[in-house]
Amino acid sequence: MIEFPVLNNFYYKDELDASTSEIIYTKQSFNLLGDTMDDNLKKNLKCKAFQDLMEIHNDSGLKFINKNSTKKYYLKITRYRRGKTLLLKDDNFNFVYKLLDGDRKKLVIDIKNQSCGNYRYFTGDFEFIPKEITIP
């Protein structure tokens, strides 16, 4: 079971370069298109998600992938900026976990260790290849 909260978190390089530690000028660039099978599994298995805990209303849903299988997911560009470069980087589970306070850390561990059918919660790292895309 994989949760993709960061797929809504790809930013254009010029926006990130213009940011300071006080002000970050970034806006959502992608939407993850839904998958009916994943939505039904989440509903039927009643799996908890990190997004629910963090009250993220821009739900990209849980993705259920069986061992040694492949599945394609598609992103829809919502901020198409011709000639600009998108950065594809994952914040990863551990980075976000370290930002939380003690009470929320316990809730995140409960989500990580939950029994959700035959699926385990993925907390590894994603690597995007390529890491940057210049929009034609």
Side-chain angles (χ1 to χ4, degrees):
M1 178 175 69
I2 300 173
E3 188 173 6
F4 287 112
V6 293
L7 285 183
N8 293 336
N9 199 27
F10 294 144
Y11 303 116
Y12 284 99
K13 190 173 187 175
D14 62 326
E15 293 172 330
L16 210 55
D17 290 344
S19 300
T20 67
S21 57
E22 294 83 26
I23 302 170
I24 298 184
Y25 299 103
T26 53
K27 296 179 184 173
Q28 180 177 329
S29 298
F30 279 98
N31 282 331
L32 181 65
L33 301 180
D35 181 271
T36 306
M37 188 177 90
D38 289 331
D39 294 341
N40 288 337
L41 279 169
K42 180 182 178 186
K43 180 181 171 185
N44 293 334
L45 295 173
K46 297 183 179 19
C47 302
K48 295 176 187 169
F50 184 75
Q51 293 175 29
D52 300 333
L53 169 68
M54 300 305 290
E55 298 177 8
I56 297 171
H57 302 291
N58 204 6
D59 183 20
S60 62
L62 294 173
K63 309 301 171 212
F64 296 86
I65 300 174
N66 294 318
K67 186 176 182 179
N68 297 325
S69 69
T70 59
K71 218 173 184 182
K72 291 184 181 180
Y73 290 96
Y74 296 91
L75 299 173
K76 177 182 177 185
I77 298 175
T78 57
R79 296 182 59 236
Y80 194 89
R81 293 180 58 205
R82 195 176 307 274
K84 299 296 181 182
T85 301
L86 274 169
L87 303 174
L88 305 176
K89 183 178 180 287
D90 175 39
D91 287 339
N92 82 37
F93 181 86
N94 290 327
F95 173 78
V96 176
Y97 180 75
K98 289 176 184 176
L99 297 176
L100 300 174
D101 63 23
D103 292 338
R104 285 203 168 180
K105 280 186 178 183
K106 183 186 178 320
L107 293 171
V108 169
I109 292 299
D110 290 345
I111 289 171
K112 176 185 169 195
N113 295 330
Q114 72 182 307
S115 175
C116 193
N118 293 326
Y119 296 95
R120 292 183 307 143
Y121 193 87
F122 177 77
T123 58
D125 294 329
F126 291 97
E127 181 179 0
F128 296 94
I129 301 171
K131 295 178 189 281
E132 296 182 3
I133 296 174
T134 301
I135 305 296

